[in-house]
Amino acid sequence: MLVRLIGLALLLGIAALGYRWWQGRQGMVRRVERPGALGVATLGEQPGKAATFVQFSTPICAKCPPTAVLLKRVAGERADVKHIEIDAAERLDVARELNIMRTPTILVLDSDGVVVARMDGAPSEAQVREALAAVPPPNEYSI
Amino acid sequence: MTSNDASTATKDIQIDPRGYRFGASVTLVISIIALILGANPAGIIAMAVLALLFLPGATVGPQKTVQSWFFRKAIRPRIGPPAETESFRPPRFAQQMGLGFSLLAVLFGVLEIALGFYIFTGFVVVASFLNSVFGFCLGCEIYLLLKRATTRAA
């Protein structure tokens, strides 16, 4: 009995620590260097003129709908920023190629459709703005 | 549009997230009792009761469980309507995982493989602990990984 009680306390302690570690990483903005642009074939629609939030969701995801609301609101502040949502469970090929492990994951594209940053797990509004600020301004001379 | 065809099965239902968090705390209490009782008839019966409680939530949805009925009758009238609602799909998936794990715990218990009983009861304890205490949906994190692992690349 005593052994099982100690085992239970350990189990809950480890679970709580693991949870805190996992939550701390949630939404963290990471710079990405990935050659090649994402186009209409992958996204299903035209990316934004200056930047795009590409949100990967699944139907089994409690944080995905509120994250979509947040991203739509921030993207809606500018005409040249767009929010595109992709069902990762349906587009498993894309999820594998882009290394999507959890939902929501948000890729941030620059004006050319190149991934410049990503957030794994639901971000806060500050993190969303930080990610958007990481996008370099459109290159006037790009073709 | 939503007639008696397949579209009704895929229709989303919005539920009170506090309801299934209450349900998770019921799960937590029962699975902790089972873990402390141990891999013997008493512990196995506790996990079998838990599996029965999971059954309606895993098949129809978390809004049809005994726990959610109790929540609607006894708790919600005291705390008022929810500030926001959530889709029933993540908690239904969680109930399916819970049902699977508690049935495996019962199976290992009956086969007198104590380690198996403790591992799967432990899974239920951890998942319901994270859900009830932190509001964390473990199934949501696992779903895509499961889908990636079980669906072969085209």
Side-chain angles (χ1 to χ4, degrees):
Chain A
M1 180 71 111
L2 183 65
V3 176
R4 288 200 288 266
L5 277 173
I6 293 169
L8 174 68
L10 274 176
L11 192 65
L12 296 184
I14 292 168
L17 284 177
Y19 166 77
R20 290 193 57 171
W21 173 79
W22 186 244
Q23 284 309 95
R25 295 170 55 87
Q26 168 155 295
M28 222 163 58
V29 182
R30 286 189 294 144
R31 304 296 179 102
V32 176
E33 278 191 44
R34 184 181 181 279
L38 301 184
V40 183
T42 308
L43 303 174
E45 51 187 297
Q46 279 296 338
K49 287 215 158 45
T52 311
F53 293 121
V54 183
Q55 177 185 345
F56 288 87
S57 304
T58 66
I60 312 293
C61 173
K63 294 267 171 66
C64 290
T67 298
V69 170
L70 169 64
L71 291 172
K72 278 203 171 75
R73 181 160 58 77
V74 174
E77 292 169 5
R78 283 168 57 179
D80 52 1
V81 178
K82 228 172 134 178
H83 170 248
I84 297 173
E85 195 168 359
I86 295 176
D87 187 337
E90 267 179 26
R91 304 287 308 276
L92 279 171
D93 50 331
V94 181
R96 284 199 180 94
E97 196 190 320
L98 295 166
N99 204 23
I100 308 297
M101 303 304 278
R102 63 190 292 201
T103 56
T105 288
I106 301 102
L107 304 182
V108 187
L109 313 186
D110 68 7
S111 54
D112 297 323
V114 176
V115 184
V116 292
R118 67 185 281 163
M119 295 171 277
D120 291 60
S124 65
E125 180 165 350
Q127 285 169 323
V128 169
R129 294 192 185 280
E130 182 194 337
L132 192 58
V135 178
N139 187 346
E140 301 279 337
Y141 304 104
S142 72
I143 303 165
Chain B
M1 277 273 284
T2 48
S3 56
N4 53 345
D5 55 35
S7 61
T8 17
T10 55
K11 203 180 80 179
D12 193 19
I13 301 168
Q14 291 286 311
I15 60 167
D16 186 341
R18 300 166 308 173
Y20 72 75
R21 258 180 98 162
F22 166 74
S25 63
V26 174
T27 303
L28 179 62
V29 170
I30 297 176
S31 56
I32 282 180
I33 290 172
L35 201 64
I36 291 172
L37 287 171
N40 51 49
I44 295 168
I45 287 170
M47 288 311 283
V49 168
L50 191 55
L52 270 180
L53 286 174
F54 274 135
L55 197 59
T59 49
V60 187
Q63 68 281 8
K64 293 292 180 208
T65 57
V66 178
Q67 305 89 297
S68 75
W69 173 82
F70 182 83
F71 173 81
R72 278 195 303 275
K73 289 288 165 203
I75 302 176
R76 193 159 61 192
R78 293 161 207 265
I79 58 176
E84 53 197 355
T85 58
E86 281 178 21
S87 168
F88 79 119
R89 286 199 184 96
R92 184 180 61 177
F93 178 66
Q95 300 263 314
Q96 289 163 352
M97 303 264 293
L99 177 64
F101 284 158
S102 28
L103 285 178
L104 282 168
V106 170
L107 180 70
F108 279 110
V110 170
L111 294 174
E112 295 186 345
I113 305 170
L115 185 65
F117 174 85
Y118 287 117
I119 287 175
F120 288 104
T121 305
F123 274 139
V124 178
V125 168
V126 168
S128 60
F129 168 67
L130 293 177
N131 198 332
S132 59
V133 177
F134 301 112
F136 179 68
C137 169
L138 191 60
C140 298
E141 305 288 335
I142 292 171
Y143 181 74
L144 183 61
L145 294 176
L146 205 68
K147 201 89 178 164
R148 281 183 58 153
T150 54
T151 313
R152 287 183 61 89

